[in-house]
Each structure stands twice: as C-alpha cells, then as structure tokens.
Amino acid sequence: MSSQDIPEESPSSEQDHAHGAVAVKEPFADPGLPAHRPRVQDIDERAARRSERTVALLFTVSMLSTVAFIASYVVFPVDKIVYIWPFGHVSALNFALGTTLGLALFCIGAGAVHWARTLMSDEERVDERHPIEAPPEVRAKVMADFAAGAEESGFGRRKLIRNTLFGALAMVPLSGVMLLRDLGPLPEDKLRHTLWAKGKQLINMNTNEPLRPEDVSVGSLTFAMPEGLSEHDHSFQTEIAKAALMIVRIQPEDIKDRRELEWSHEGIVAFSKICTHVGCPISLYEQQTHHVLCPCHQSTFDLSDGARVIFGPAGHALPQLRIGVNDEGFLEALGDFDEPVGPSFWERG
C-alpha cells in the first residue's frame, strides 16, 4: 500500500482521538420553543371572569361537600342499609362519606387544574443549567420570578379565587377529624351502669319467670337477668354481658362479710356472673366451700366472704347486687351494682 492510499488526518482529528472523543454532527437542528399562542382568557377579560367563577364554584362545592361529609355522621346511623343502583345494597353511612369526601377532594383538584390552565401564565421559558450553589444574582432572579408568577396567577388580584381556595383547604382537614369517630363510640359512663335498678325483678334465665325466695335452695346456683330484658332484643348480648347475675343461698350464719349479709335476703346473695379478670362468665360453684371458679383462668372467689379473690389472676372481688322482696313475694333489686362489673375497668376508672 502506497502512502497516497493512507488518508491524512487533520490536527483537530488527531486531538479528538487523543482525548477519546468522536465528533458527531447533529442530524437535526434544535427547533426551539413554538411561538406562544394566547388563550381566550388572555385577550378577553369576560372569559377570564368566567373561568374565575368556575374555579370559585369548584372550591365552593368542595366546601359544601365537606359540610355534607360531617353532616353524614349525624344523619345516617351506622347500621342503615339502602339500595343504590347500580351498587346494590350498601351502607348508607359509608356511601355518603365516600361520595362527599371524594367530591370535596376532586373539586379542589379540578379547581386548581382549571385555574392553572386558563388563568395562570402558560408561556414556556428556558433556563440554562447552573451550578447547585446559586449565586446572589440567581437567587434574586428566583425571587423575581416568584413575584412575577404570583402576579401573573392573579392570586392577589383575584380575591374570589383566593378566598374560596383558602376556605376549601381549611375545611377539608375537618373530614379527618370526623374520621376519629371510627375509633369507636365514646364509652361515657355506660360501663359503670347496668339494667339493674330499684324494683327490677330477678328473672330466672332458664324459665324466664320471676324468682321467689323459696325457688332458691341452699347449695344451689341460679342465673338471673333483669326484668324487661328479652333474648330477642337487639341489645340483649350487650346488656346481659353487664347484667348477668348468679344467685346462691347460704346459711346466714355462714356469711362472713357483714355488708354481704345486709345486702342479702334470708341468706340469698346475688353477685355479678362476670369475672373481674377478663370478663369470662363464671359457672362453677362448690357448695361446701361456697367458692366459685372461673373456667378461663381459674380465678376463685369466696361467695361467703364478699366474693373476694382467693386464687387466680382476678384483681377485684365480684360486685354484689343488693336484693329484697316486693309486695308480691318476688325477689327484686334494690339498686344497681355498687361498682362497675367485669374486668378491672382500668383500675375502676
């Protein structure tokens, strides 16, 4: 091969190869940004006003939806079921909450998007890349751009949009506050009271008949519930969990606790059937020792000594119900339990 067949390289090519770079010619020229086309709202103030009212309407609907969300908690009961096409049978409360909260959030988003697309400046600008550390002149330019953007958005000038936006954003968090209700209903003082009250007859849970003193024999164990409570009631399980009663008859001379004797009738004593450990029903009675045993964790109570705990993890004695006899000869309560029934109830509140 002759020297004429070897292509000569220019000095610049030699320099590029030395640095490992290859010169590539751009196949297309940079077209740049397209020419800015003004929108209707940019040239027609009436159109801008219409867009402003539309955005304000969306924010107002969001506020009304938030109010409706809160009202739904009051209007719709938790167990109300309604038929809504095409969803079928749904919870009225859940449907109302989902619809109103979804509408509130959607209207804020739709209003913000409509505001940006129709009223804020849509002119595209190009900034050259710069170091991460901005020099003072760049920071000044950013603040100037921010001020210009705020001016172009009309945030200060269009007070209707600004005020309704503030209203919508301020009210949406109220929905989250209302959701705290789903942590559970407030117990108030419901755990401190049962259906037992003065004059309530003791009803045998096996026969559903009122109890007479002669129906309770020495050494027997009888379970009772308050007069007026039925197994068919919607709230039966809730109420019987607090009002369940066990009745035993002990010879008066065998009762060691003075108050227990005063609250009894001819040796018939009535104690809560609910264990003070974790709320299990007590049903095992030993007539020779007058002890009752909880089958769950073996807490043992002495019914001849104020139902105090003599063994097991229970922390409190069983609450006693004061009883007597009415004019018809039936056993009746003379009030409610003197303390909350069931588990330790946060050390009795």
Side-chain angles (χ1 to χ4, degrees):
M1 179 181 293
S2 64
S3 61
Q4 287 86 359
D5 297 330
I6 300 175
E8 296 183 358
E9 294 184 354
S10 65
S12 59
S13 299
E14 293 177 357
Q15 185 177 2
D16 290 341
H17 283 296
H19 290 82
V22 178
V24 180
K25 183 178 180 181
E26 293 289 342
F28 301 103
D30 185 359
L33 293 175
H36 178 259
R37 299 177 60 184
R39 301 162 300 187
V40 176
Q41 290 83 358
D42 296 331
I43 58 179
D44 187 352
E45 183 60 24
R46 290 189 302 175
R49 292 283 185 183
R50 285 195 300 270
S51 295
E52 180 181 6
R53 289 192 294 269
T54 300
V55 175
L57 176 63
L58 289 169
F59 290 157
T60 302
V61 172
S62 175
M63 289 188 286
L64 295 177
S65 298
T66 301
V67 173
F69 177 92
I70 298 173
S72 297
Y73 266 107
V74 180
V75 174
F76 298 105
V78 177
D79 56 352
K80 184 177 180 59
I81 303 297
V82 296
Y83 178 82
I84 299 178
W85 187 89
F87 304 103
H89 291 87
V90 296
S91 168
L93 178 60
N94 290 346
F95 185 83
L97 294 179
T99 301
T100 53
L101 182 59
L103 185 60
L105 296 176
F106 172 79
C107 287
I108 289 180
V113 171
H114 191 68
W115 182 6
R117 292 180 65 87
T118 60
L119 296 175
M120 293 184 182
S121 175
D122 68 335
E123 183 177 354
E124 296 185 11
R125 298 179 182 178
V126 177
D127 283 336
E128 297 295 334
R129 291 187 178 182
H130 54 80
I132 296 178
E133 183 182 2
E137 58 271 16
V138 174
R139 293 197 294 268
K141 182 179 182 300
V142 169
M143 296 305 297
D145 290 344
F146 177 80
E151 178 64 26
E152 293 173 354
S153 69
F155 193 77
R157 179 166 54 92
R158 302 186 186 278
K159 296 182 179 180
L160 180 60
I161 288 182
R162 181 187 64 194
N163 295 338
T164 52
L165 173 63
F166 285 159
L169 293 178
M171 295 188 70
V172 161
L174 296 178
S175 302
V177 174
M178 294 301 296
L179 289 175
L180 295 177
R181 175 189 171 188
D182 283 342
L183 294 177
L186 296 176
E188 300 173 347
D189 61 348
K190 297 175 183 177
L191 297 179
R192 299 181 182 273
H193 303 285
T194 70
L195 288 182
W196 290 110
K198 185 175 182 179
K200 287 268 189 177
Q201 294 184 2
L202 279 61
I203 305 299
N204 190 320
M205 293 192 65
N206 293 324
T207 63
N208 288 325
E209 297 292 335
L211 282 167
R212 294 180 180 272
E214 53 268 26
D215 296 333
V216 184
S217 59
V218 176
S220 65
L221 177 64
T222 306
F223 299 122
M225 63 182 178
E227 176 188 8
L229 183 62
S230 172
E231 296 181 0
H232 303 290
D233 294 340
H234 177 71
S235 60
F236 175 78
Q237 297 297 337
T238 301
E239 297 300 337
I240 200 63
K242 297 184 296 180
L245 197 69
M246 61 179 176
I247 304 169
V248 298
R249 190 165 199 160
I250 305 173
Q251 295 294 349
E253 59 270 17
D254 292 336
I255 297 178
K256 306 171 187 176
D257 186 79
R258 181 177 178 180
R259 196 191 75 161
E260 178 183 350
L261 182 60
E262 293 175 351
W263 282 28
S264 67
H265 176 75
E266 299 177 354
I268 301 174
V269 293
F271 288 97
S272 170
K273 184 184 176 182
I274 309 304
C275 180
T276 57
H277 178 217
V278 292
C280 295
I282 299 173
S283 58
L284 304 177
Y285 176 60
E286 209 290 309
Q287 59 179 336
Q288 298 298 325
T289 60
H290 310 299
H291 294 171
V292 288
L293 176 70
C294 176
C296 292
H297 305 97
Q298 287 71 56
S299 293
T300 307
F301 306 85
D302 186 355
L303 297 188
S304 66
D305 192 12
R308 66 181 180 89
V309 183
I310 60 174
F311 180 80
H316 298 278
L318 296 174
Q320 184 179 1
L321 184 71
R322 190 171 187 175
I323 61 174
V325 175
N326 60 18
D327 296 337
E328 299 177 356
F330 295 108
L331 291 173
E332 67 174 4
L334 299 181
D336 200 354
F337 290 105
D338 60 326
E339 58 185 0
V341 302
S344 296
F345 185 50
W346 310 301
E347 294 303 320
R348 300 304 188 201

